[in-house]
Amino acid sequence: MSIPVLTIDGPSGAGKGTVSRLLAKKLGWHYLDSGSIYRSLAIALLKQSVDLENAARIVDVAQAMTLAFECGDELIVKLGDEDITAQLGLELIGNTASIIAALPEVRRVLLQKQRDFRRHPGLVADGRDMGTVVFPDAEYKVFLTASSEKRAERRYKQLIEKGIDANLTRLTKDIEERDRRDSERATAPLSIASGALFIDSSDMTIDAVIGEVLALIH
Ligand code: C5P
């Protein structure tokens, strides 16, 4: 019997991470934060001062990197022996990830690493192309979005709570730029998988979003 997969795709800041993690916990399923794989590659490239125009070199680094994910209350990510969890959330890393994610060769190399997360009893997979490319045969598909202003506001609050200085206008601009890059790229652009449940979380609580997704599964 095939292992069930719930895919949650959508733009950055729509609440996919929080919602996916809570759903994985409720269902007792594994969790794939695919964005963290692109982000980890971004960290590896910046550490090695790789030129982001040099696709061949980027692919080499992607092939060579070893990642380990430890899913407890918080997701801990190790690149080789180094715990890179704290760096994953930086704006620079997210923006760099979005630049390299547009390279088709990079996406090809990372495809199997993502599919390897599909293990019993099930998987919640969060990203941009989970339902369209990585797990097209997933039983349950969701597209979770929110207005760019709302997403920037949420991000702003998160950063301020962490004591990180932030500028709302700048964040809104970055989010819109990232949306444009993720949606307009030729390979695996952000798009709504056919049959996906569309949820706009702009005016919804996390519990309400989770309720809608659980209703789809049960
Ligand atoms: O979701 P997150 O913000 O962590 O993703 C960082 C970047 O990685 C995104 O802006 C996107 O360009 C890329 N990404 C992707 N496909 C995925 C997940 C993330 O292209 N499945």
Side-chain angles (χ1 to χ4, degrees):
M1 240 179 61
S2 87
I3 301 169
V5 180
L6 162 64
T7 61
I8 305 200
D9 288 309
S12 46
K16 287 175 297 162
T18 309
V19 165
S20 304
R21 246 192 312 276
L22 288 170
L23 280 165
K25 209 166 182 185
K26 270 189 195 290
L27 294 164
W29 289 5
H30 299 281
Y31 168 53
L32 164 61
D33 170 4
S34 62
S36 71
I37 297 184
Y38 290 91
R39 286 173 182 264
S40 301
L41 176 57
I43 292 172
L45 295 168
L46 293 175
K47 274 190 195 306
Q48 297 179 43
S49 310
V50 173
D51 174 3
L52 298 183
E53 305 271 309
N54 188 343
R57 192 76 189 91
I58 295 174
V59 169
D60 285 346
V61 175
Q63 267 162 343
M65 75 174 175
T66 53
L67 290 178
F69 293 82
E70 290 165 22
C71 276
D73 278 345
E74 292 270 317
L75 180 74
I76 293 177
V77 183
K78 285 189 174 163
L79 173 65
D81 293 335
E82 192 191 351
D83 182 344
I84 54 165
T85 314
Q87 299 163 52
L88 284 172
L90 300 175
E91 294 305 305
L92 168 69
I93 300 304
N95 289 329
T96 307
S98 146
I99 294 171
I100 53 166
L103 298 168
E105 307 91 315
V106 168
R107 305 198 72 84
R108 242 191 323 271
V109 171
L110 299 184
L111 193 58
Q112 195 54 48
K113 285 191 200 284
Q114 297 172 78
R115 288 188 175 150
D116 289 343
F117 278 78
R118 188 175 195 166
R119 295 193 304 268
H120 282 292
L123 175 70
V124 180
D126 138 16
R128 305 290 186 292
D129 60 343
M130 297 296 101
T132 50
V133 176
V134 182
F135 303 106
D137 64 334
E139 257 148 301
Y140 314 107
K141 298 185 183 184
V142 170
F143 190 88
L144 182 61
T145 190
S147 68
S148 54
E149 292 80 9
K150 270 275 152 73
R151 289 185 283 129
E153 256 172 48
R154 288 176 188 164
R155 184 79 191 126
Y156 178 79
K157 276 195 195 138
Q158 275 175 356
L159 291 171
I160 296 295
E161 273 165 19
K162 283 187 194 162
I164 300 171
D165 197 23
N167 174 306
L168 187 58
T169 314
R170 173 89 229 148
L171 279 174
T172 311
K173 217 173 138 273
D174 279 356
I175 277 192
E176 286 170 353
E177 171 67 18
R178 185 118 71 92
D179 283 356
R180 192 193 53 69
R181 214 185 290 127
D182 290 349
S183 309
E184 292 179 1
R185 69 183 175 217
T187 310
L190 173 65
S191 63
I192 306 174
S194 88
L197 171 69
F198 182 92
I199 302 178
D200 181 335
S201 73
S202 301
D203 298 309
M204 286 172 82
T205 61
I206 288 170
D207 281 348
V209 174
I210 287 178
E212 276 207 23
V213 181
L214 286 176
L216 169 78
I217 293 177
H218 291 136

PDB file of all heavy atoms in Angstrom, residues 128-149:
ATOM      1  N   ARG A 128       6.819  24.404  -2.149  1.00  0.00           N
ATOM      2  CA  ARG A 128       6.235  25.137  -3.281  1.00  0.00           C
ATOM      3  C   ARG A 128       5.713  24.186  -4.353  1.00  0.00           C
ATOM      4  O   ARG A 128       4.786  24.504  -5.078  1.00  0.00           O
ATOM      5  CB  ARG A 128       7.284  26.042  -3.942  1.00  0.00           C
ATOM      6  CG  ARG A 128       7.976  27.026  -3.031  1.00  0.00           C
ATOM      7  CD  ARG A 128       7.002  28.114  -2.594  1.00  0.00           C
ATOM      8  NE  ARG A 128       7.659  29.172  -1.824  1.00  0.00           N
ATOM      9  CZ  ARG A 128       8.167  29.003  -0.605  1.00  0.00           C
ATOM     10  NH1 ARG A 128       8.099  27.850   0.000  1.00  0.00           N
ATOM     11  NH2 ARG A 128       8.729  30.025   0.017  1.00  0.00           N
ATOM     12  N   ASP A 129       6.388  23.017  -4.461  1.00  0.00           N
ATOM     13  CA  ASP A 129       6.064  22.089  -5.557  1.00  0.00           C
ATOM     14  C   ASP A 129       5.827  20.678  -5.032  1.00  0.00           C
ATOM     15  O   ASP A 129       6.069  19.705  -5.734  1.00  0.00           O
ATOM     16  CB  ASP A 129       7.228  22.060  -6.558  1.00  0.00           C
ATOM     17  CG  ASP A 129       8.537  21.605  -5.912  1.00  0.00           C
ATOM     18  OD1 ASP A 129       8.625  21.619  -4.670  1.00  0.00           O
ATOM     19  OD2 ASP A 129       9.453  21.210  -6.653  1.00  0.00           O
ATOM     20  N   MET A 130       5.380  20.575  -3.781  1.00  0.00           N
ATOM     21  CA  MET A 130       5.184  19.250  -3.183  1.00  0.00           C
ATOM     22  C   MET A 130       4.082  18.480  -3.920  1.00  0.00           C
ATOM     23  O   MET A 130       4.244  17.316  -4.258  1.00  0.00           O
ATOM     24  CB  MET A 130       4.822  19.384  -1.686  1.00  0.00           C
ATOM     25  CG  MET A 130       5.911  20.018  -0.840  1.00  0.00           C
ATOM     26  SD  MET A 130       7.411  19.030  -0.772  1.00  0.00           S
ATOM     27  CE  MET A 130       8.432  19.860  -1.940  1.00  0.00           C
ATOM     28  N   GLY A 131       2.965  19.167  -4.181  1.00  0.00           N
ATOM     29  CA  GLY A 131       1.827  18.494  -4.832  1.00  0.00           C
ATOM     30  C   GLY A 131       1.954  18.423  -6.346  1.00  0.00           C
ATOM     31  O   GLY A 131       1.331  17.583  -6.993  1.00  0.00           O
ATOM     32  N   THR A 132       2.777  19.302  -6.920  1.00  0.00           N
ATOM     33  CA  THR A 132       2.883  19.338  -8.383  1.00  0.00           C
ATOM     34  C   THR A 132       4.028  18.465  -8.906  1.00  0.00           C
ATOM     35  O   THR A 132       3.883  17.788  -9.923  1.00  0.00           O
ATOM     36  CB  THR A 132       3.102  20.790  -8.883  1.00  0.00           C
ATOM     37  OG1 THR A 132       4.180  21.357  -8.133  1.00  0.00           O
ATOM     38  CG2 THR A 132       1.858  21.640  -8.728  1.00  0.00           C
ATOM     39  N   VAL A 133       5.179  18.461  -8.227  1.00  0.00           N
ATOM     40  CA  VAL A 133       6.367  17.792  -8.771  1.00  0.00           C
ATOM     41  C   VAL A 133       6.904  16.668  -7.875  1.00  0.00           C
ATOM     42  O   VAL A 133       7.163  15.563  -8.346  1.00  0.00           O
ATOM     43  CB  VAL A 133       7.512  18.816  -9.014  1.00  0.00           C
ATOM     44  CG1 VAL A 133       8.782  18.123  -9.497  1.00  0.00           C
ATOM     45  CG2 VAL A 133       7.077  19.878 -10.005  1.00  0.00           C
ATOM     46  N   VAL A 134       7.077  16.950  -6.594  1.00  0.00           N
ATOM     47  CA  VAL A 134       7.770  15.986  -5.731  1.00  0.00           C
ATOM     48  C   VAL A 134       6.854  14.801  -5.380  1.00  0.00           C
ATOM     49  O   VAL A 134       7.264  13.646  -5.476  1.00  0.00           O
ATOM     50  CB  VAL A 134       8.331  16.672  -4.465  1.00  0.00           C
ATOM     51  CG1 VAL A 134       9.090  15.683  -3.606  1.00  0.00           C
ATOM     52  CG2 VAL A 134       9.269  17.819  -4.868  1.00  0.00           C
ATOM     53  N   PHE A 135       5.601  15.080  -5.010  1.00  0.00           N
ATOM     54  CA  PHE A 135       4.664  14.001  -4.685  1.00  0.00           C
ATOM     55  C   PHE A 135       3.366  14.189  -5.482  1.00  0.00           C
ATOM     56  O   PHE A 135       2.303  14.426  -4.900  1.00  0.00           O
ATOM     57  CB  PHE A 135       4.353  13.991  -3.175  1.00  0.00           C
ATOM     58  CG  PHE A 135       5.577  13.862  -2.302  1.00  0.00           C
ATOM     59  CD1 PHE A 135       6.060  14.953  -1.585  1.00  0.00           C
ATOM     60  CD2 PHE A 135       6.268  12.657  -2.216  1.00  0.00           C
ATOM     61  CE1 PHE A 135       7.190  14.842  -0.790  1.00  0.00           C
ATOM     62  CE2 PHE A 135       7.412  12.543  -1.419  1.00  0.00           C
ATOM     63  CZ  PHE A 135       7.873  13.634  -0.705  1.00  0.00           C
ATOM     64  N   PRO A 136       3.443  14.089  -6.807  1.00  0.00           N
ATOM     65  CA  PRO A 136       2.233  14.341  -7.610  1.00  0.00           C
ATOM     66  C   PRO A 136       1.112  13.345  -7.302  1.00  0.00           C
ATOM     67  O   PRO A 136      -0.059  13.646  -7.519  1.00  0.00           O
ATOM     68  CB  PRO A 136       2.717  14.206  -9.062  1.00  0.00           C
ATOM     69  CG  PRO A 136       4.030  13.522  -8.999  1.00  0.00           C
ATOM     70  CD  PRO A 136       4.602  13.755  -7.642  1.00  0.00           C
ATOM     71  N   ASP A 137       1.483  12.165  -6.750  1.00  0.00           N
ATOM     72  CA  ASP A 137       0.454  11.158  -6.447  1.00  0.00           C
ATOM     73  C   ASP A 137      -0.088  11.284  -5.021  1.00  0.00           C
ATOM     74  O   ASP A 137      -0.778  10.388  -4.541  1.00  0.00           O
ATOM     75  CB  ASP A 137       1.030   9.752  -6.662  1.00  0.00           C
ATOM     76  CG  ASP A 137       2.171   9.447  -5.685  1.00  0.00           C
ATOM     77  OD1 ASP A 137       2.827  10.411  -5.225  1.00  0.00           O
ATOM     78  OD2 ASP A 137       2.405   8.263  -5.378  1.00  0.00           O
ATOM     79  N   ALA A 138       0.238  12.382  -4.325  1.00  0.00           N
ATOM     80  CA  ALA A 138      -0.234  12.553  -2.937  1.00  0.00           C
ATOM     81  C   ALA A 138      -1.755  12.478  -2.881  1.00  0.00           C
ATOM     82  O   ALA A 138      -2.447  12.988  -3.766  1.00  0.00           O
ATOM     83  CB  ALA A 138       0.251  13.892  -2.387  1.00  0.00           C
ATOM     84  N   GLU A 139      -2.233  11.850  -1.803  1.00  0.00           N
ATOM     85  CA  GLU A 139      -3.692  11.719  -1.657  1.00  0.00           C
ATOM     86  C   GLU A 139      -4.357  13.039  -1.284  1.00  0.00           C
ATOM     87  O   GLU A 139      -5.478  13.309  -1.665  1.00  0.00           O
ATOM     88  CB  GLU A 139      -3.967  10.744  -0.505  1.00  0.00           C
ATOM     89  CG  GLU A 139      -4.373   9.381  -0.968  1.00  0.00           C
ATOM     90  CD  GLU A 139      -3.870   8.355   0.024  1.00  0.00           C
ATOM     91  OE1 GLU A 139      -2.639   8.302   0.230  1.00  0.00           O
ATOM     92  OE2 GLU A 139      -4.712   7.635   0.581  1.00  0.00           O
ATOM     93  N   TYR A 140      -3.655  13.830  -0.488  1.00  0.00           N
ATOM     94  CA  TYR A 140      -4.253  15.058   0.024  1.00  0.00           C
ATOM     95  C   TYR A 140      -3.369  16.243  -0.341  1.00  0.00           C
ATOM     96  O   TYR A 140      -2.177  16.236  -0.045  1.00  0.00           O
ATOM     97  CB  TYR A 140      -4.390  14.992   1.551  1.00  0.00           C
ATOM     98  CG  TYR A 140      -4.960  13.692   2.042  1.00  0.00           C
ATOM     99  CD1 TYR A 140      -4.146  12.752   2.674  1.00  0.00           C
ATOM    100  CD2 TYR A 140      -6.310  13.391   1.859  1.00  0.00           C
ATOM    101  CE1 TYR A 140      -4.662  11.547   3.113  1.00  0.00           C
ATOM    102  CE2 TYR A 140      -6.834  12.183   2.298  1.00  0.00           C
ATOM    103  CZ  TYR A 140      -5.999  11.266   2.923  1.00  0.00           C
ATOM    104  OH  TYR A 140      -6.506  10.075   3.360  1.00  0.00           O
ATOM    105  N   LYS A 141      -3.986  17.237  -0.974  1.00  0.00           N
ATOM    106  CA  LYS A 141      -3.191  18.405  -1.382  1.00  0.00           C
ATOM    107  C   LYS A 141      -3.863  19.704  -0.936  1.00  0.00           C
ATOM    108  O   LYS A 141      -5.081  19.853  -1.084  1.00  0.00           O
ATOM    109  CB  LYS A 141      -3.042  18.429  -2.906  1.00  0.00           C
ATOM    110  CG  LYS A 141      -2.315  17.208  -3.448  1.00  0.00           C
ATOM    111  CD  LYS A 141      -2.070  17.299  -4.937  1.00  0.00           C
ATOM    112  CE  LYS A 141      -1.415  16.012  -5.427  1.00  0.00           C
ATOM    113  NZ  LYS A 141      -1.042  16.035  -6.831  1.00  0.00           N
ATOM    114  N   VAL A 142      -3.041  20.608  -0.414  1.00  0.00           N
ATOM    115  CA  VAL A 142      -3.558  21.894   0.061  1.00  0.00           C
ATOM    116  C   VAL A 142      -2.690  22.996  -0.532  1.00  0.00           C
ATOM    117  O   VAL A 142      -1.474  22.824  -0.684  1.00  0.00           O
ATOM    118  CB  VAL A 142      -3.495  21.949   1.613  1.00  0.00           C
ATOM    119  CG1 VAL A 142      -3.790  23.347   2.125  1.00  0.00           C
ATOM    120  CG2 VAL A 142      -4.444  20.930   2.233  1.00  0.00           C
ATOM    121  N   PHE A 143      -3.305  24.109  -0.894  1.00  0.00           N
ATOM    122  CA  PHE A 143      -2.563  25.314  -1.273  1.00  0.00           C
ATOM    123  C   PHE A 143      -2.930  26.378  -0.253  1.00  0.00           C
ATOM    124  O   PHE A 143      -4.093  26.779  -0.157  1.00  0.00           O
ATOM    125  CB  PHE A 143      -2.924  25.765  -2.692  1.00  0.00           C
ATOM    126  CG  PHE A 143      -2.022  26.854  -3.205  1.00  0.00           C
ATOM    127  CD1 PHE A 143      -0.833  26.540  -3.862  1.00  0.00           C
ATOM    128  CD2 PHE A 143      -2.341  28.193  -3.018  1.00  0.00           C
ATOM    129  CE1 PHE A 143       0.031  27.544  -4.321  1.00  0.00           C
ATOM    130  CE2 PHE A 143      -1.491  29.204  -3.471  1.00  0.00           C
ATOM    131  CZ  PHE A 143      -0.306  28.869  -4.130  1.00  0.00           C
ATOM    132  N   LEU A 144      -1.936  26.780   0.541  1.00  0.00           N
ATOM    133  CA  LEU A 144      -2.195  27.723   1.635  1.00  0.00           C
ATOM    134  C   LEU A 144      -1.555  29.068   1.310  1.00  0.00           C
ATOM    135  O   LEU A 144      -0.348  29.150   1.089  1.00  0.00           O
ATOM    136  CB  LEU A 144      -1.589  27.156   2.934  1.00  0.00           C
ATOM    137  CG  LEU A 144      -1.787  27.976   4.203  1.00  0.00           C
ATOM    138  CD1 LEU A 144      -3.258  28.146   4.540  1.00  0.00           C
ATOM    139  CD2 LEU A 144      -1.061  27.301   5.376  1.00  0.00           C
ATOM    140  N   THR A 145      -2.373  30.117   1.283  1.00  0.00           N
ATOM    141  CA  THR A 145      -1.823  31.433   0.972  1.00  0.00           C
ATOM    142  C   THR A 145      -2.385  32.490   1.923  1.00  0.00           C
ATOM    143  O   THR A 145      -3.200  32.189   2.803  1.00  0.00           O
ATOM    144  CB  THR A 145      -2.097  31.797  -0.510  1.00  0.00           C
ATOM    145  OG1 THR A 145      -1.359  32.972  -0.826  1.00  0.00           O
ATOM    146  CG2 THR A 145      -3.575  32.004  -0.793  1.00  0.00           C
ATOM    147  N   ALA A 146      -1.910  33.721   1.767  1.00  0.00           N
ATOM    148  CA  ALA A 146      -2.440  34.878   2.503  1.00  0.00           C
ATOM    149  C   ALA A 146      -1.951  36.106   1.741  1.00  0.00           C
ATOM    150  O   ALA A 146      -1.017  35.993   0.929  1.00  0.00           O
ATOM    151  CB  ALA A 146      -1.914  34.895   3.936  1.00  0.00           C
ATOM    152  N   SER A 147      -2.549  37.252   1.979  1.00  0.00           N
ATOM    153  CA  SER A 147      -2.131  38.455   1.251  1.00  0.00           C
ATOM    154  C   SER A 147      -0.670  38.779   1.591  1.00  0.00           C
ATOM    155  O   SER A 147      -0.192  38.417   2.675  1.00  0.00           O
ATOM    156  CB  SER A 147      -3.019  39.637   1.648  1.00  0.00           C
ATOM    157  OG  SER A 147      -2.759  39.982   2.992  1.00  0.00           O
ATOM    158  N   SER A 148       0.035  39.447   0.680  1.00  0.00           N
ATOM    159  CA  SER A 148       1.451  39.728   0.938  1.00  0.00           C
ATOM    160  C   SER A 148       1.614  40.643   2.155  1.00  0.00           C
ATOM    161  O   SER A 148       2.566  40.509   2.927  1.00  0.00           O
ATOM    162  CB  SER A 148       2.144  40.313  -0.292  1.00  0.00           C
ATOM    163  OG  SER A 148       1.459  41.436  -0.752  1.00  0.00           O
ATOM    164  N   GLU A 149       0.641  41.556   2.357  1.00  0.00           N
ATOM    165  CA  GLU A 149       0.739  42.453   3.529  1.00  0.00           C
ATOM    166  C   GLU A 149       0.649  41.646   4.828  1.00  0.00           C
ATOM    167  O   GLU A 149       1.406  41.864   5.764  1.00  0.00           O
ATOM    168  CB  GLU A 149      -0.391  43.500   3.527  1.00  0.00           C
ATOM    169  CG  GLU A 149      -0.309  44.535   2.429  1.00  0.00           C
ATOM    170  CD  GLU A 149      -0.825  44.017   1.084  1.00  0.00           C
ATOM    171  OE1 GLU A 149      -1.409  42.901   1.046  1.00  0.00           O
ATOM    172  OE2 GLU A 149      -0.640  44.716   0.071  1.00  0.00           O
TER     173      GLU A 149
END
